Amino acid sequence: MSTLSRRSVLRGSGVVAAGAVVGYALTRRSDAASGTGATAAANAYGPAPAAGTSTPLAALADVPDGGGLVLGDEHVVLTRSGDEVRGFSATCTHQGCTVDGVADGRIGCPCHGSVFDAATGAVLRGPATDPLPPVAVSVVDGAVTRTGGG
């Protein structure tokens, strides 16, 4: 039976630490770590709506003023300040979890604790490093709709 020496433990710890640093550096440069292209929908599962089209998402009255609403089926989070409504992808840019709510001007992700600014989608607290991608929305006749580009 062999015993562990302090030297072997330190050597093993050094190898693990070096591997972690190299792995982190490689994955940060990976295509998988980057955001989706401009032609993808907010959830990255398909194309964005065609130019000139709109998809109803929610009644304006259903989006709390000063807060927001997560539409899991649509993969969209809506935030509201007065009559101004903004849309963002509800898919966290860290590892793809769905954000779970909007409160105090912040959008939170329950999986790893990332926090995004409800007005801009910018990262306020990681581990996410990329902002939530915007989703084009507008208010028409009291309804918030997702609009196509163009």
Side-chain angles (χ1 to χ4, degrees):
M1 182 191 299
S2 84
T3 59
L4 289 176
S5 69
R6 189 163 87 183
R7 178 176 287 163
S8 66
V9 170
L10 288 173
R11 192 176 306 147
S13 297
V15 168
V16 169
V21 168
V22 169
Y24 176 78
L26 290 175
T27 57
R28 295 282 296 162
R29 294 177 175 246
S30 164
D31 287 340
S34 63
T36 60
T39 59
N43 62 8
Y45 294 132
T53 63
S54 64
T55 303
L57 296 173
L60 179 61
D62 292 341
V63 183
D65 192 4
L69 182 66
V70 178
L71 304 171
D73 292 344
E74 296 290 334
H75 299 282
V76 174
V77 58
L78 301 173
T79 64
R80 178 178 174 195
S81 178
D83 289 334
E84 186 173 358
V85 177
R86 292 183 176 93
F88 301 99
S89 169
T91 304
C92 179
T93 57
H94 174 236
Q95 288 191 344
C97 293
T98 301
V99 298
D100 68 347
V102 182
D104 300 322
R106 298 167 181 245
I107 301 168
C109 179
C111 294
H112 301 105
S114 292
V115 177
F116 303 90
D117 185 282
T120 65
V123 177
L124 297 176
R125 183 178 71 218
T129 57
D130 294 320
L132 292 175
V135 172
V137 296
S138 61
V139 179
V140 178
D141 296 328
V144 181
T145 60
R146 182 176 185 167
T147 55

